[in-house]
Amino acid sequence: MTEVQALRRAANPERPTFLELLVDLVYVFALTRISQRLIDDITAEEHLPFTDVGVTVLILLALWHMWSTTVWSTSRMDPELPVIRVVLLITMVSSMVMAVAVPQGFTDRALVFTTAYVGGQVARVLYYGLATRGPQGRSAARALVWSLLSGPLWIVGALAPDVSLRAVLWVCAVLLDYLGATWGFPLPRLGRDRITSQPVVAGHLAERYQQFLLIALGEMIFTIGVAFSGGSFLLPETAGFALGLAGTVLFWQVYFQRAGRLLTDAIGGAANPSWLGFAVAFSHLAMIIGIVVSGVGYELSVSEPLAAPEPMWLLAILGGPALFLAGRAALEFQVFSRVSRSRVAGFVALGVLAPALWHVPPLATAGAATAVLLGVAVADLRRARGREPEPATPSR
């Protein structure tokens, strides 16, 4: 193949392409599988729930890495080029196979999950490197070597008969994947990709993160909707459903008031847009995991509103909003170089409420968690009332 110039040009639109949005639809399905797996983990009696939840988070981290590295690439490359379209299609197929395997992704279908993940990572960087060559091809070569370093850990872990060994190998593989992306895939002689020197399109990158967070909110609606539609429509179930809808709206409100709304301005106006664009991926990851866990908690308040409480149920109902607020505080610092007291107060309130709610049914716990989110949202609105909209003031 001849050398191809794949970097974005000024004339390229900042909005995501239809193919990118099509790839996102796979992750709608993937998050529903993750959510159902979490529900099974939390309600299981014969397993160690913390271990099961940890494995599910590990699977989610692999899916997020596949998606986020694709987003980073399409914010630097021209997504309308045929070579980039092929890369997106490889990502779509690999992610779909991973999503299908999620329910037994650590047991019977571990090899299917890891083969799709490793195969997708290797295939797309290999194809891209051969198609572009030049400096872009060298960047792909570095990413390929790191994929080949972590890939055996994934595959050998899937084949290992001992699940403890599998977990250890997969944790090491995830760390390699994330550290490689963070460090720019450094290699002797070939150097590394310096994230701080890579141009990105702020509008495209910000909108992709916003869209994935909305996907997580959509999955939360799906989870509580399925639980309620299959129930008896009695008053306790209806109250749990109402709380779930209210929580969804409050997550949306807290995110977009104002940091989430100004994400494009923050990335574009930062002293180092590339670094900030990369850093906000982790604050969004925390918020997305928090929303997914919260969806599980609200599902419990719909399906088991008056049941005897379980420790893991309490962790889901209160821990999900707490993780979301922690991620939202990190995003606020990235956008405004400060953190509102309402974020800290909400996080602390959820922790203080945990002992008091230890023996109450899920419906009451969900009500308390929703009240905390409402308090944060109201505090944000009161703070903004009568003031000029605060501009983004990123520290980097």
Side-chain angles (χ1 to χ4, degrees):
M1 295 185 184
T2 59
E3 184 173 335
V4 174
Q5 177 53 256
L7 293 175
R8 276 182 177 266
R9 297 179 294 273
N12 291 137
E14 293 191 4
R15 300 298 301 272
T17 64
F18 292 121
L19 181 55
E20 290 177 272
L21 298 179
L22 181 63
V23 173
D24 282 355
L25 293 180
V26 172
Y27 286 86
V28 175
F29 172 70
L31 286 185
T32 63
R33 297 296 84 203
I34 290 289
S35 179
Q36 185 57 56
R37 184 184 170 95
L38 276 174
I39 292 171
D40 294 340
D41 293 341
I42 291 173
T43 57
E45 297 180 356
E46 67 275 11
H47 302 298
L48 294 174
F50 282 104
T51 302
D52 291 340
V53 170
V55 167
T56 302
V57 171
L58 197 61
I59 290 173
L60 176 57
L61 288 176
L63 284 162
W64 173 261
H65 186 259
M66 178 74 80
W67 182 86
S68 61
T69 51
T70 303
V71 167
W72 183 259
S73 298
T74 54
S75 288
R76 297 179 56 230
M77 311 299 176
D78 182 358
E80 294 291 356
L81 284 178
V83 59
I84 305 301
R85 289 182 177 180
V86 172
V87 170
L88 286 170
L89 289 173
I90 293 172
T91 301
M92 177 181 174
V93 173
S94 302
S95 300
M96 187 62 187
V97 176
M98 292 169 65
V100 170
V102 161
Q104 291 86 38
F106 192 70
T107 52
D108 296 342
R109 295 177 183 167
L111 187 59
V112 174
F113 181 84
T114 55
T115 301
Y117 176 66
V118 175
Q121 294 280 67
V122 170
R124 62 184 187 170
V125 295
L126 181 60
Y127 173 79
Y128 175 76
L130 292 174
T132 56
R133 299 186 180 181
Q136 301 159 53
R138 288 191 290 273
S139 295
R142 286 189 286 268
L144 176 62
V145 171
W146 274 80
S147 294
L148 293 175
L149 288 174
S150 66
L153 295 176
W154 285 106
I155 300 298
V156 172
L159 294 172
D162 181 57
V163 293
S164 297
L165 176 60
R166 180 176 304 163
V168 170
L169 291 174
W170 282 17
V171 168
C172 293
V174 163
L175 288 174
L176 269 178
D177 286 335
Y178 276 77
L179 289 175
T182 302
W183 292 341
F185 307 110
L187 288 176
R189 297 186 179 181
L190 289 180
R192 66 188 179 95
D193 287 330
R194 296 186 178 275
I195 294 173
T196 55
S197 64
Q198 295 177 353
V200 294
V201 179
H204 178 273
L205 195 59
E207 189 168 343
R208 301 298 285 127
Y209 290 137
Q210 292 164 344
Q211 287 169 345
F212 202 99
L213 189 130
L214 290 173
I215 287 173
L217 290 176
E219 186 280 327
M220 182 173 168
I221 292 173
F222 176 84
T223 298
I224 61 176
V226 169
F228 186 59
S229 65
S232 57
F233 282 48
L234 296 177
L235 181 59
E237 288 83 358
T238 303
F241 178 67
L243 287 173
L245 288 180
T248 304
V249 174
L250 290 169
F251 281 129
W252 171 84
Q253 174 64 31
V254 171
Y255 173 76
F256 282 104
Q257 179 70 31
R258 298 243 306 150
R261 191 183 302 274
L262 294 180
L263 192 54
T264 298
D265 294 342
I267 296 174
N272 195 325
S274 299
W275 176 255
L276 183 60
F278 184 81
V280 297
F282 294 96
S283 55
H284 279 78
L285 175 59
M287 287 186 286
I288 287 164
I289 294 177
I291 290 172
V292 172
V293 174
S294 297
V296 173
Y298 280 118
E299 193 275 346
L300 292 169
S301 72
V302 174
S303 60
E304 303 285 349
L306 303 179
E310 297 286 343
M312 288 300 297
W313 298 11
L314 183 69
L315 180 64
I317 298 173
L318 297 181
L323 185 56
F324 171 83
L325 289 176
R328 180 58 177 75
L331 177 67
E332 187 171 28
F333 183 80
Q334 291 162 344
V335 173
F336 295 119
S337 303
R338 55 123 181 109
V339 177
S340 298
R341 286 177 292 181
S342 61
R343 309 279 178 266
V344 178
F347 185 85
V348 171
L350 290 167
V352 171
L353 284 171
L357 298 172
W358 192 261
H359 298 293
V360 302
L363 182 62
T365 306
T370 306
V372 171
L373 291 173
L374 178 61
V376 173
V378 170
D380 290 346
L381 293 173
R382 290 185 62 184
R383 184 177 185 274
R385 187 175 58 185
R387 299 184 180 183
E388 290 293 326
E390 183 179 5
T393 53
S395 58
R396 300 193 60 141

